[in-house]
């Protein structure tokens, strides 16, 4: 059945291919591939709905075909949530096609299924059901609104609003507020409309939804205009306009320009009536500017309806300014476009405008002709409206006619029921006599059967007793056989357990030996002291290293070396942890030693660039540019390989000149922290020392600077730019920290969440004034307390490495 549905879909696409010329063929092919290969019915339903979405606005009949196919698939798999979703999709398409009765019917079917989901025990189905009920109620509200049934529309929107408030869906709540506000605006209830628009605006502002905010500002502006509060209306229009300009929404910008133009136009008319000629003239001028701005944008978009409306507005305003010739020009151009697109409303307005212009110029014959055309169009529009009303009256008549037929049938049925009851009463006595005789006969038969059963039961009991004895003997033999089998299997399990324990011991011993090898290539404490003492001249350099593998061996490594007057430091986090990570770390240490020994490598970024070349070459990683674009088979092979080979590392590399204290830094995904003291005066220094003696960390005496690395790893990647070389001038007593992401990724605390980099920054800043050895102890204690905050030590989730050095 599924294969047959797929063939139907493919055939349908072939027949209707000319309708989807503008669609992305790649997207259609990918959706068909998913339908063909997926084994899950829910995925096929989802993708079939997406296919329908591609045709929703261009070919609605085709969209309905896919939605109905999706419904069949959902009904076959009995996935209630997807059945409900399909009915909702079909209802929305019915609504867009103007078939409101069918739309409401499908919304109700969807609502009923979602309601059933809320009765299931699991919370996810309950929430999905409630959310679906809210969506269906809101969609029904839109249906009623489009039919002019504002009472039913308000009931549906309030029903949806109550559901969304119960489950905390703020975005949906704000949408309901907008819809309710629009209905109140249509009913001239400006205060109520304004109340709901402002409630929606509060939610949009809280969530930062600028699109919703702009729509609210625009609607609020319209309400204030209706209430003649022009300054407040203009303020909201401009807020809306600012957001539309920010996102480049030309259509919305044009509409807002028109709204502002109308605002100034209405003010100018009122001022002209009051004989405030100067103010009226200024507002006419501003209104004309906004109308022309709207016209310019509509011309850029080639929006013919928008162009015609803008020209009509300009022509009406020019008539008010008594610039009749220019008004005729704009009205004539608007009329040509309105006739082309078949907009009767705009044509009617243009003829009225031309009639006014010609009348004021004294060309009464032309004025009369245009007024006559306007009247004819007005009659046509009234006839169209009357036709709609007649259809609605016909629908009411048919409904009343059906109800009358139902009432007549009900009366006939009542008369037949009376006659039937009379006949039943006459036959009741006869049935009682017959039933009494039958009852006596049944009692006799039952008594005879009971006597016969007692006789045969005793006979059968003796036979069954003998059979039971035989069965018991057979059971005893089976139990003995099963006991022997269980003992054999127990011995086998014990042997397998001993073999597994031996294998585990051997593997653990091998990994522990690997740890010895890994520790041998890592810098020892003696080596680090020698390098730092030699280059800094300090007998006891102030530094610490925290190195905690998650497993026995680690995917992290740290590196300390000297080259001429430079100190070279690095901390890296290789792909994976445990044995795979250890292999990568060994390669990294080896490559790093080789690279820093080369004289041609002079910067920190150069080290990382070279390290990436070594890794890519050693792991035989390949970039997609290495393949020809027309060879799809090889490109597909690359994609499969690139998904399985993602090995590499994130690394921080630092080079510090011990003479000038200049530091070079380059990073692959990982940052570096620099903590600098900012105490300048002796009095501040004394106060800080007192605070340190009291173990107080409340006074901020240091500031942490973060230098971020490039957002790409040491491996093949979509971005293969050169790494950035940062140069920083250090000062004496600056403290630098290099680290992997292991510390910040540890879970713990009261809520069992990650420690996070922000907490690590705060902790490092607080302890940066203490000796480095004490900082190490405090950080280790912080990690232990975080992981054991609930009395149970959380498992370490990643390798942890931090290297700190005070200059």
């Amino acid at each position: 059945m599924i294969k047959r549905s797929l063939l139907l879909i493919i055939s349908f696409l072939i027949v209707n291919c000319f309708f989807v010329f503008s669609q992305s063929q790649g997207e259609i092919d990918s959706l068909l591939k998913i339908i063909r290969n997926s084994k899950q019915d829910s995925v096929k339903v989802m993708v079939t709905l997406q296919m329908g979405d591609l045709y929703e606005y261009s070919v609605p009949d085709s969209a309905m075909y896919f939605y109905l196919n999706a419904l069949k698939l959902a009904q076959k798999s009995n996935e209630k949530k997807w059945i409900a979703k399909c009915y909702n999709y079909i209802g929305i398409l019915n609504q867009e096609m103007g078939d409101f009765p069918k739309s409401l019917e499908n919304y109700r079917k969807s609502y009923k299924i979602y309601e059933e989901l809320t009765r299931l025990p699991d919370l996810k189905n309950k929430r999905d059901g409630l959310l679906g009920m809210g969506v269906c109620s809101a969609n029904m509200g839109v249906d009623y609104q489009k039919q002019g049934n504002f009472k039913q529309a308000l009931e549906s929107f309030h029903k949806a609003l109550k559901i969304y408030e119960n489950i905390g869906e703020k975005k949906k709540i704000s949408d309901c507020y907008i819809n309710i506000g629009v209905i109140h605006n249509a009913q001239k209830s400006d205060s109520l409309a304004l109340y709901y628009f402002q409630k929606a605006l509060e939610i949009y502002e809280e969530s930062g939804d600028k699109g919703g905010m702009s729509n609210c500002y625009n609607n609020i502006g319209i309400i204030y205009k209706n209430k003649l509060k022009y300054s407040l209306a203009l303020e909201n229009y401009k807020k809306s306009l600012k957001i539309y300009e920010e996102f480049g929404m030309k259509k919305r910008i044009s509409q807002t320009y028109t709204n502002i133009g109308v605002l100034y136009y209405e003010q100018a008319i009122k001022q002209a009536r009051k004989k405030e000629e100067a103010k009226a003239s200024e507002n006419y001028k501003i209104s004309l500017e906004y109308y022309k701005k709207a016209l310019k944008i509509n011309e850029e978009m080639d929006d013919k309806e928008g162009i015609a409306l803008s020209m009509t507005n300009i022509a009406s305003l020019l008539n008010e300014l008594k610039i009749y010739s220019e008004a005729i020009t704009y009205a004539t151009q608007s009329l040509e476009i309105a006739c082309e697109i078949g907009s009767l409303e705009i044509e009617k307005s243009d003829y009225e405008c031309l009639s006014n212009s010609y009348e004021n110029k004294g060309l009464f014959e032309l004025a009369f002709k245009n007024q006559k055309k306007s009247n004819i169009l007005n009659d046509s529009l009234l006839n169209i409206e009357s036709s709609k009303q007649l259809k609605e009256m016909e629908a009411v008549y048919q409904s009343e006619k059906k109800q009358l037929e139902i009432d007549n049938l009900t009366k006939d049925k009542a008369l037949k029921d009376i006659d039937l009851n009379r006949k039943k009463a006459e036959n009741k006595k006869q049935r009682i006599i017959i039933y009494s005789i039958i009852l006596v006969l049944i009692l006799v038969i039952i008594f005879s059967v009971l006597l016969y059963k007692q006789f045969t039961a005793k006979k059968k009991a003796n036979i069954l007793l003998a059979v039971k004895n035989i069965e018991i003997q057979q059971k005893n033999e089976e139990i003995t056989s099963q006991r022997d089998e269980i003992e054999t299997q127990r011995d086998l399990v014990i042997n397998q357990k001993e073999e597994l324990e031996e294998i585990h011991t051997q593997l653990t011993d091998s990994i522990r030996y690997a740890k010895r090898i890994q520790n041998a290539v890592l810098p020892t404490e003696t080596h680090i002291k020698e390098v730092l003492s030699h280059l800094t001249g300090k007998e006891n350099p102030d530094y610490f290293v925290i190195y905690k593998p998650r497993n026995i061996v680690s995917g992290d490594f740290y590196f300390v070396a000297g080259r001429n007057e430079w100190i070279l430091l690095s901390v890296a986090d290789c792909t994976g942890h445990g044995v795979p990570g250890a292999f990568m770390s060994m390669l990294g240490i080896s490559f790093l030693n080789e690279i820093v020994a080369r004289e041609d490598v002079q910067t920190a970024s150069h080290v990382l660039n070279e390290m990436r070349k070594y890794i890519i070459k050693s792991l035989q990683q390949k970039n997609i540019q290495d393949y020809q674009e027309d060879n799809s088979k090889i490109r597909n092979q690359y994609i499969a390989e690139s998904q399985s080979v993602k090995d590499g590392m994130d690394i921080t590399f630092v080079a510090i000149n011990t003479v000038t204290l200049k530091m070079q830094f380059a990073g692959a995904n990982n940052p570096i922290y620099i903590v600098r003291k900012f105490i300048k005066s002796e009095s501040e220094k004394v106060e800080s020392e007192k605070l340190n003696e009291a173990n107080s960390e409340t006074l901020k005496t240091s500031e942490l600077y973060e230098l971020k690395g490039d957002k790409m790893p040491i491996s093949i990647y979509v971005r293969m730019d050169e790494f950035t070389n940062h140069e920083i001038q250090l000062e004496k007593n600056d403290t630098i920290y290099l680290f992997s992401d292991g510390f910040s990724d540890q879970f713990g605390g009261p809520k069992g969440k990650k420690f996070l980099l922000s907490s690590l920054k705060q902790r490092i800043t607080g302890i940066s004034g203490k000796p480095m050895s004490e900082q190490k102890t405090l950080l280790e204690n912080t990690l232990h307390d975080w992981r054991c905050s609930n009395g149970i030590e959380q498992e370490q989730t990643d390798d942890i490495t931090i290297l700190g050095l005070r200059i």
Side-chain angles (χ1 to χ4, degrees):
M1 183 64 185
I2 302 296
K3 290 182 178 178
R4 184 172 175 272
S5 298
L6 178 60
L7 289 172
L8 285 171
I9 292 171
I10 295 172
S11 301
F12 187 85
L13 282 174
I14 294 170
V15 173
N16 295 280
C17 62
F18 62 93
F19 287 123
V20 295
F21 183 79
S22 62
Q23 299 288 354
S24 170
Q25 189 59 42
E27 186 176 0
I28 294 172
D29 291 342
S30 63
L31 292 174
L32 284 173
K33 185 177 180 181
I34 294 171
I35 296 174
R36 192 183 302 113
N37 296 333
S38 177
K39 295 181 180 179
Q40 295 183 359
D41 290 337
S42 60
V43 174
K44 292 179 180 178
V45 173
M46 179 182 68
V47 175
T48 306
L49 288 175
Q50 290 178 0
M51 292 287 290
D53 289 343
L54 294 176
Y55 297 89
E56 182 178 2
Y57 298 108
S58 57
V59 193
D61 291 339
S62 302
M64 183 64 76
Y65 170 82
F66 284 107
Y67 291 159
L68 292 173
N69 268 283
L71 177 60
K72 289 178 184 177
L73 290 172
Q75 289 172 334
K76 182 182 177 184
S77 63
N78 199 27
E79 288 278 351
K80 288 192 174 182
K81 184 171 73 173
W82 285 105
I83 295 172
K85 193 179 287 289
C86 289
Y87 278 128
N88 192 48
Y89 271 65
I90 294 168
I92 291 170
L93 190 58
N94 290 142
Q95 186 184 95
E96 291 173 356
M97 296 170 73
D99 193 346
F100 299 120
K102 282 188 179 179
S103 176
L104 285 169
E105 179 185 349
N106 283 293
Y107 288 148
R108 290 188 182 109
K109 288 179 181 179
S110 179
Y111 183 94
K112 185 176 180 181
I113 297 170
Y114 279 127
E115 194 173 24
E116 292 173 4
L117 286 177
T118 62
R119 301 190 189 103
L120 297 177
D122 58 299
L123 293 176
K124 187 176 186 307
N125 275 318
K126 284 181 183 294
R127 181 173 178 80
D128 289 344
L130 286 170
L131 186 60
M133 288 166 64
V135 170
C136 291
S137 296
N139 287 341
M140 283 190 274
V142 174
D143 254 16
Y144 288 127
Q145 182 183 351
K146 289 186 176 182
Q147 295 178 73
N149 190 344
F150 295 133
K151 181 181 177 182
Q152 287 283 359
L154 276 176
E155 288 179 2
S156 296
F157 286 134
H158 277 292
K159 187 176 182 180
L161 177 61
K162 186 175 180 181
I163 293 171
Y164 293 146
E165 286 175 341
N166 286 337
I167 60 178
E169 280 286 337
K170 288 194 174 181
K171 177 67 171 64
K172 299 287 187 184
I173 291 170
S174 59
D175 292 342
C176 280
Y177 285 150
I178 290 289
N179 286 325
I180 294 169
V182 168
I183 291 176
H184 284 305
N185 184 35
Q187 293 180 310
K188 308 300 181 182
S189 300
D190 292 338
S191 297
L192 278 173
L194 181 62
Y195 169 76
Y196 282 103
F197 288 150
Q198 287 175 336
K199 283 178 73 71
L201 179 60
E202 288 174 6
I203 297 174
Y204 288 132
E205 287 178 337
E206 182 182 339
S207 62
D209 184 349
K210 291 193 174 181
M213 288 163 60
S214 60
N215 289 333
C216 283
Y217 287 137
N218 199 44
N219 287 330
I220 292 170
I222 292 170
I223 298 298
Y224 279 130
K225 183 183 77 68
N226 295 339
K227 293 167 76 71
L228 305 181
K229 295 182 179 180
Y230 295 118
S231 59
L232 289 173
L234 182 61
E235 179 183 340
N236 282 278
Y237 282 151
K238 288 187 175 180
K239 287 180 180 178
S240 175
L241 180 63
K242 184 178 179 182
I243 296 173
Y244 292 147
E245 288 175 340
E246 181 181 343
F247 289 96
M249 301 170 68
K250 289 189 174 182
K251 182 69 175 177
R252 295 285 191 178
I253 294 170
S254 169
Q255 292 170 350
T256 308
Y257 281 152
T258 299
N259 287 341
I260 296 173
V262 170
L263 188 70
Y264 281 107
Y265 180 74
E266 288 184 4
Q267 289 184 83
I269 289 175
K270 290 181 184 296
Q271 289 160 350
R273 288 173 182 170
K274 294 178 181 179
K275 305 300 182 181
E276 297 175 354
E277 300 296 339
K279 292 182 180 179
S281 176
E282 180 64 23
N283 283 331
Y284 278 135
K285 181 180 178 182
I286 297 172
S287 175
L288 182 61
E289 288 176 2
Y290 278 104
Y291 283 157
K292 287 186 175 180
K293 285 182 180 180
L295 175 61
K296 184 179 179 182
I297 293 174
N298 289 325
E299 288 174 340
E300 289 174 359
M301 295 189 298
D302 196 25
D303 180 357
K304 292 187 177 181
E305 184 178 11
I307 293 169
L309 282 171
S310 295
M311 287 183 170
T312 301
N313 289 334
I314 293 171
S316 297
L317 192 148
L318 290 171
N319 273 338
E320 293 292 334
L321 293 175
K322 300 181 181 180
I323 308 175
Y324 302 121
S325 298
E326 195 172 344
I328 291 169
T329 302
Y330 277 103
T332 304
Q333 291 176 0
S334 174
L335 181 61
E336 290 176 2
I337 298 171
C339 292
E340 180 185 343
I341 63 177
S343 176
L344 299 181
E345 284 285 353
I346 299 176
E347 285 185 51
K348 175 180 169 294
S349 299
D350 289 331
Y351 282 129
E352 285 181 0
C353 190
L354 287 169
S355 177
N356 291 334
S357 299
Y358 287 130
E359 182 181 357
N360 284 293
K361 290 189 73 173
L363 302 173
F364 300 112
E365 185 177 352
L366 287 174
F368 176 75
K369 285 181 180 180
N370 282 280
Q371 185 60 48
K372 185 177 179 181
K373 290 179 181 178
S374 175
N375 293 338
I376 292 170
L377 284 175
N378 188 53
D379 292 340
S380 298
L381 290 169
L382 288 174
N383 288 336
I384 291 169
E385 187 62 30
S386 298
S387 177
K388 289 181 181 177
Q389 292 176 356
L390 287 172
K391 286 181 181 177
E392 291 175 359
M393 291 172 64
E394 176 66 18
V396 172
Y397 167 73
Q398 291 296 337
S399 176
E400 291 176 350
K401 183 179 177 183
K402 286 182 180 178
Q403 185 61 43
L404 183 61
E405 290 174 356
I406 291 169
D407 292 342
N408 290 334
L409 288 171
T410 304
K411 290 179 182 178
D412 292 342
K413 185 176 183 299
L415 292 172
K416 289 179 181 177
D417 288 343
I418 293 170
D419 187 50
L420 185 62
N421 289 333
R422 183 176 57 78
K423 290 181 180 179
K424 285 181 179 178
E426 292 175 355
N427 294 328
K428 187 175 181 181
K429 292 181 181 179
Q430 295 178 3
R431 286 200 302 272
I432 291 172
I433 296 169
I434 294 169
Y435 290 156
S436 299
I437 296 170
I438 292 171
L439 181 61
V440 172
L441 290 173
I442 289 171
L443 290 172
V444 172
I445 292 169
I446 291 172
F447 184 72
S448 301
V449 170
L450 289 173
L451 289 175
Y452 176 76
K453 281 189 173 182
Q454 285 181 351
F455 172 76
T456 54
K458 288 183 180 179
K459 185 176 179 180
K460 286 181 180 179
N462 293 328
I463 296 171
L464 289 172
L465 187 60
V467 172
K468 286 289 182 185
N469 288 332
I470 296 170
E471 289 178 351
I472 290 170
Q473 291 177 357
Q474 291 175 345
K475 289 284 184 183
N476 287 336
E477 292 175 358
E478 289 178 3
I479 290 169
T480 303
S481 174
Q482 289 174 356
R483 182 190 63 197
D484 295 339
E485 179 66 23
I486 290 169
E487 289 177 352
T488 303
Q489 291 180 358
R490 181 196 63 194
D491 295 338
L492 179 61
V493 169
I494 291 172
N495 290 336
Q496 290 176 343
K497 177 177 176 292
E498 291 174 351
E499 290 177 5
L500 288 173
E501 287 175 346
E502 183 179 355
I503 293 170
H504 179 265
T505 302
Q506 291 175 355
L507 286 173
T508 304
D509 290 344
S510 297
I511 295 171
R512 291 189 186 283
Y513 188 75
K515 177 180 176 63
R516 291 172 57 191
I517 297 172
Q518 187 179 38
N519 287 341
V521 298
L522 287 171
T524 63
E525 188 172 348
T526 304
H527 171 76
I528 295 172
K529 284 185 177 180
E530 286 178 358
V531 171
L532 297 179
S533 298
H534 175 70
L535 292 173
T536 62
K538 294 181 181 179
E539 185 176 349
N540 292 309
D542 204 4
Y543 77 97
F544 71 81
V545 176
I546 296 175
Y547 181 66
K548 293 180 179 294
R550 175 193 166 186
N551 300 320
I552 298 172
V553 289
S554 173
D556 285 4
F557 70 86
Y558 57 92
F559 177 84
V560 180
R563 176 175 167 183
N564 299 329
E565 70 275 13
W566 293 86
I567 297 174
L568 308 178
L569 307 174
S570 182
V571 168
D573 181 0
C574 300
T575 304
H577 39 71
V579 174
F583 274 114
M584 285 298 299
S585 69
M586 297 284 284
L587 277 175
I589 293 169
S590 174
F591 292 157
L592 205 52
N593 278 314
E594 185 176 341
I595 291 167
V596 300
R598 290 167 46 185
E599 291 297 330
D600 60 317
V601 178
Q602 293 294 324
T603 62
S605 60
H606 196 174
V607 171
L608 296 196
N609 291 331
E610 291 300 310
M611 177 70 99
R612 181 167 60 188
K613 291 177 183 178
Y614 277 53
I615 290 293
I616 291 172
K617 182 177 180 181
S618 300
L619 299 181
Q620 300 182 12
Q621 295 176 339
K622 295 180 181 179
N623 201 334
I624 194 166
Q625 284 82 6
D626 298 335
Y627 298 99
Q628 295 179 359
E629 293 184 0
D630 59 346
N631 195 330
S632 59
K633 183 176 180 181
I634 296 179
R635 287 171 62 82
N636 291 338
Q637 180 185 355
Y638 161 71
I639 293 169
E641 291 176 354
S642 64
Q643 290 174 346
S644 61
V645 181
K646 296 181 179 177
D647 300 314
M649 65 184 71
D650 298 336
I651 186 170
T652 304
F653 186 86
V654 168
I656 303 171
N657 190 308
T658 56
V659 178
T660 64
L661 294 187
K662 278 193 175 180
M663 181 181 79
Q664 294 185 17
F665 156 71
N669 285 327
N670 283 355
I672 182 174
Y673 292 163
I674 303 171
V675 178
R676 177 168 295 170
K677 292 184 178 181
F678 56 81
I679 298 174
K680 297 181 179 179
S681 66
E682 287 298 324
S683 60
E684 290 177 327
K685 185 173 182 182
V686 170
E687 181 65 22
S688 175
E689 289 173 355
K690 289 180 181 179
L691 287 169
N692 284 332
E693 289 172 5
N695 291 322
S696 172
E697 298 174 9
T698 59
L699 183 63
K700 184 178 177 184
T701 60
S702 302
E703 187 164 358
L704 184 144
Y705 302 91
E706 178 182 5
L707 296 177
K708 294 184 178 180
D710 296 298
K711 291 295 182 182
M712 51 185 178
I714 300 294
S715 69
I716 203 75
Y717 191 61
V718 293
R719 177 186 168 195
M720 299 291 289
D721 301 334
E722 297 289 323
F723 286 96
T724 306
N725 194 67
H726 302 271
E727 289 193 2
I728 305 96
Q729 180 63 51
L730 297 178
E731 297 179 3
K732 198 166 182 63
N733 292 323
D734 282 354
T735 310
I736 63 172
Y737 299 88
L738 292 74
F739 50 89
S740 65
D741 60 2
F743 196 103
S744 59
D745 283 351
Q746 297 307 311
F747 286 91
K751 296 183 180 180
K753 295 186 176 181
K754 286 186 178 182
F755 190 79
L756 301 179
L757 280 174
S758 58
S759 300
L760 181 59
K761 286 182 183 180
Q762 186 177 359
R763 187 58 178 150
I764 286 175
T765 305
I767 65 174
S768 61
K770 300 182 183 296
M772 300 303 282
S773 58
E774 188 175 344
Q775 288 186 40
K776 177 180 180 180
T777 303
L778 289 171
L779 285 172
E780 288 175 338
N781 291 341
T782 299
L783 179 63
H784 178 268
D785 294 343
W786 177 257
R787 290 172 55 199
C788 302
S789 61
N790 290 323
I792 301 173
E793 185 173 2
Q794 296 277 359
E795 182 181 356
Q796 185 174 331
T797 57
D798 199 358
D799 301 318
I800 299 171
T801 306
I802 302 179
L803 190 155
L805 173 65
R806 178 164 289 148
I807 304 302

